[in-house]
Amino acid sequence: MSSSRSPTHTRTRSGTQLSEEYIQNSFHSYLKSSLTQAKVERLLDADLLSSAEGDLMITGPALCLYFAALRSTTNPPSVPLPRHNKTSDPTELSSENCPPPFTPFLRVWAQTVPSIQALTPEYQHDLARIICDLEPVASPLNPNIHGIAADLRAVAIEISQRRSFQDRYAADLQAALDSGNEPSSPRAKKASFVPPPSYEMSPPSSADIHDLASQSSSHLSPYTPSAGSGWPSRSPSPSILTPDSPAIEFIRETLYAALGDVLETQSSLRGMLRLDPSRAYFAAVAYAILDVATTSLTPEGAIVGVLGTPLTLDDCPPHLRRFMLELAAIGRQAAEIQEADDARAMKYASQGKGIPTPRMERVQQMLVEGIGCSTQHRGEEEGRRSVEGKAVAFANRINGLSLALTHLKAFKDRQDQVFKVLAGIGSSW
């Protein structure tokens, strides 16, 4: 498919900013049609659409961005928006009229449009399959589509963290489920997606603070084998957990205990708590996953957490093992990235060149600031786009696990309490 495009729509006059509500309504209109089209093309089936799988929160918005890229006909790329009414002029979302909260999303999306439109139809279909976590079918494999999919999924992750999206996503899924079926038919399925508790900036109770503070990061020391037992020695600390607590509660409290360190070291997260509490919560949990994966995992993949004893894969019930395996895989990949960063730094230093920003540092920045920050560092030098793409993919992996975990009932049951504590912390800085 040719990548050349010519404007076919009327641009909104420069300087006339569109409202956030209009953009949100337009996005959800397109999201419903994108999910429906994916269902027709058998990229997504009814069982998945009706499930509450965490990854579905990423797949849906990423598909919407993909189909929008195929529809774009302007240069630079813009998004044709639904008309207010039949008599209104066509409008596009562009850099000239985009509301500031959506500018980073639009910038990253626009950078993917030429690459998507330049793909042949079979590779465009493969891109859609990868977005839906399906294997590509075209041969030979196009090596570029994984990077494009990573960028689209990164934007989708940030969209999925917005409260306005969470409140409306169940209706989007239901619209796709109802397409082609009578809602009253016996075979009709219902979307089971339920948004997480809202993050109200109400002051936390003293009991809330004590409960979470008792498991603060001071009681979650990094894994360092001690003499004798081979396990780290920790001072006994109060905890809501007991040795017989379910594995998911152990994982949950271990991650929540790491939030203290995250908030102490990441000043931008503290500021985000006041401006965008829901986004700050998801970013903090994602950063805590990276922290636990790199400091509290044994070489065998066990978690040493708030009780100072290891939780092994065998201790987990079958439905939780994939989360443990993914956490361990994140830890291994983080170690590989750190080794590659060190080797790259030594190579550049030996050649008298300036040392580029380490990939791990870029991952950490994206977890906190989002995918928009990644566009500021592309094109700095030959080969950096490949490194940047790998950083985006790794940040997506961490964010994907964060979304999947926080969507579990055990996490939802504690989120409201944790939200209150974080709100209190945010108001104190």
Side-chain angles (χ1 to χ4, degrees), residues 94-410:
S94 68
S95 58
E96 298 174 344
N97 58 25
C98 184
F102 302 134
T103 300
F105 304 159
L106 181 66
R107 183 170 63 246
V108 177
W109 170 83
Q111 290 181 338
T112 70
V113 172
S115 299
I116 293 173
Q117 294 193 348
L119 295 172
T120 58
E122 58 268 26
Y123 286 130
Q124 288 178 346
H125 183 68
D126 269 0
L127 174 58
R129 288 182 60 84
I130 291 173
I131 289 171
C132 295
D133 202 25
L134 300 172
E135 290 295 325
V137 294
S139 181
L141 176 67
N142 186 320
N144 297 322
I145 57 179
H146 283 282
I148 300 171
D151 283 346
L152 294 180
R153 288 177 67 86
V155 177
I157 285 169
E158 293 193 48
I159 291 173
S160 71
Q161 294 169 353
R162 295 179 61 88
R163 188 68 201 183
S164 59
F165 168 84
Q166 296 166 2
D167 288 340
R168 299 176 65 170
Y169 195 38
D172 301 331
L173 294 169
Q174 193 60 55
L177 286 167
D178 291 343
S179 65
N181 297 312
E182 290 293 333
S184 58
S185 70
R187 299 179 60 186
K189 293 181 179 290
K190 298 296 182 183
S192 59
F193 175 81
V194 177
S198 60
Y199 192 159
E200 301 295 339
M201 295 298 284
S202 56
S205 68
S206 59
D208 288 332
I209 295 177
H210 173 76
D211 213 15
L212 195 64
S214 67
Q215 301 161 73
S216 67
S217 55
S218 61
H219 300 123
L220 186 64
S221 58
Y223 170 74
T224 51
S226 59
S229 66
W231 301 111
S233 57
R234 287 185 174 87
S235 302
S237 60
S239 172
I240 68 169
L241 295 178
T242 70
D244 297 324
S245 293
I248 186 59
E249 292 184 9
F250 185 96
I251 296 172
R252 178 193 66 195
E253 299 308 316
T254 298
L255 290 174
Y256 282 163
L259 291 178
D261 264 350
V262 170
L263 292 172
E264 184 177 354
T265 59
Q266 300 298 319
S267 59
S268 56
L269 270 179
R270 298 197 297 270
M272 195 186 301
L273 276 170
R274 293 188 296 271
L275 301 175
D276 191 352
S278 180
R279 171 79 180 92
Y281 168 75
F282 284 109
V285 172
Y287 210 104
I289 285 175
L290 179 61
D291 180 73
V292 170
T294 54
T295 65
S296 301
L297 284 175
T298 72
E300 295 76 22
I303 299 176
V304 181
V306 289
L307 293 179
T309 54
L311 175 72
T312 68
L313 186 63
D314 290 339
D315 296 328
C316 286
H319 70 283
L320 293 179
R321 289 178 183 173
R322 65 186 180 97
F323 299 114
M324 277 283 289
L325 289 170
E326 183 66 0
L327 185 62
I330 287 172
R332 289 192 298 272
Q333 188 172 355
E336 293 170 0
I337 290 174
Q338 189 63 59
E339 290 177 3
D341 283 341
D342 293 343
R344 188 180 301 113
M346 293 178 62
K347 175 183 176 182
Y348 276 68
S350 67
Q351 296 174 350
K353 298 180 179 178
I355 298 175
T357 304
R359 193 193 310 171
M360 183 56 70
E361 186 176 323
R362 301 289 306 116
V363 170
Q364 293 169 334
Q365 184 180 7
M366 278 185 272
L367 291 179
V368 176
E369 299 180 26
I371 180 62
C373 71
S374 71
T375 61
Q376 303 167 10
H377 297 265
R378 292 182 178 175
E380 293 177 350
E381 58 187 84
E382 185 179 356
R384 289 297 291 166
R385 180 62 184 90
S386 174
V387 171
E388 192 68 31
K390 293 177 182 177
V392 172
F394 186 50
N396 286 354
R397 186 174 196 175
I398 298 168
N399 278 316
L401 180 58
S402 175
L403 284 172
L405 285 174
T406 55
H407 203 64
L408 296 174
K409 183 180 185 300

